[in-house]
Amino acid sequence: RVRGEYRTSLIVEPGDGRMPFNAAGLELAKALSERNVRQFDGPEQRPLSERCLENHGLAPIRPLRVLIPRQIVQARDHLAIMSEEAAGLRVIHLGGSAPPDAVRSVEGYSVGRWEGDTLVVTTTHLRAEEPAREIIGGRQLVISRNTTITERFTRVSDRELLYRFTV
């Protein structure tokens, strides 16, 4: 349920609930799917999540069919999201400037700002040697070095956090 409304897809735009890809994204997603069904020669070829180098708390946060507790702590200049899984800490910088373009990581560089009651987080500086981000129940999310991920966190009640993201 999102804002009390039952949904059949986590994707709200486009309205058909299917992940939109351009031709290059479709080709890459197909190649990644084919790669994942054949055997791998070594661990370096396995997806990041299988090597505990990616967690589902990194941008964008993706749902799992299991409960993974997360804790959000805000200080003056940073916000931290801790997930109880591999590589579980994510730091969001509240203000400041991004690092040089050559400095990249799997988690990217996240900068947050408040728009009223909504925390808006923009993540850039992603490494894309492994372009797939796992999403349960659908196509893989495909990123590149030029990808920008914008997330919006809005607390809608004492027990509910509305989370939206755009890639």
Side-chain angles (χ1 to χ4, degrees):
R1 292 183 350 173
V2 176
R3 291 191 174 172
E5 174 186 315
Y6 286 101
R7 303 238 355 120
T8 58
S9 174
L10 294 174
I11 298 172
V12 296
E13 193 174 312
D16 66 4
R18 294 190 42 90
M19 179 109 42
F21 281 139
N22 61 21
L26 282 171
E27 186 176 316
L28 180 56
K30 181 180 176 190
L32 289 167
S33 294
E34 290 172 359
R35 176 204 69 182
N36 290 345
V37 297
R38 56 178 203 260
Q39 292 185 332
F40 297 90
D41 289 333
E44 294 81 12
Q45 297 169 337
R46 303 295 303 181
L48 292 174
S49 61
E50 290 184 21
R51 296 184 281 151
C52 297
L53 296 173
E54 173 192 17
N55 82 55
H56 290 80
L58 300 179
I61 297 173
R62 282 98 45 188
L64 291 174
R65 292 187 179 114
V66 298
L67 176 64
I68 296 180
R70 293 190 175 102
Q71 183 177 22
I72 301 173
V73 178
Q74 181 179 343
R76 186 172 54 97
D77 298 328
H78 298 87
L79 187 136
I81 300 176
M82 182 65 187
S83 297
E84 286 191 12
E85 61 178 312
L89 180 64
R90 176 179 177 199
V91 176
I92 298 169
H93 306 270
L94 299 175
S97 58
D101 189 58
V103 178
R104 293 182 172 268
S105 64
V106 170
E107 63 271 10
Y109 189 83
S110 296
V111 176
R113 69 184 185 286
W114 289 98
E115 290 182 2
D117 292 339
T118 298
L119 175 66
V120 179
V121 179
T122 303
T123 301
T124 58
H125 290 74
L126 294 159
R127 285 178 51 185
E129 290 85 357
E130 172 57 50
R133 298 290 188 263
E134 288 188 39
I135 291 189
I136 303 301
R139 293 179 175 168
Q140 295 184 44
L141 179 64
V142 179
I143 64 161
S144 75
R145 289 179 55 85
N146 300 320
T147 295
T148 297
I149 300 168
T150 303
E151 301 166 285
R152 295 179 176 278
F153 298 82
T154 307
R155 186 174 179 186
V156 294
S157 75
D158 288 344
R159 299 181 49 150
E160 187 175 3
L161 184 68
L162 177 63
Y163 175 74
R164 298 166 288 171
F165 69 88
T166 304
V167 178

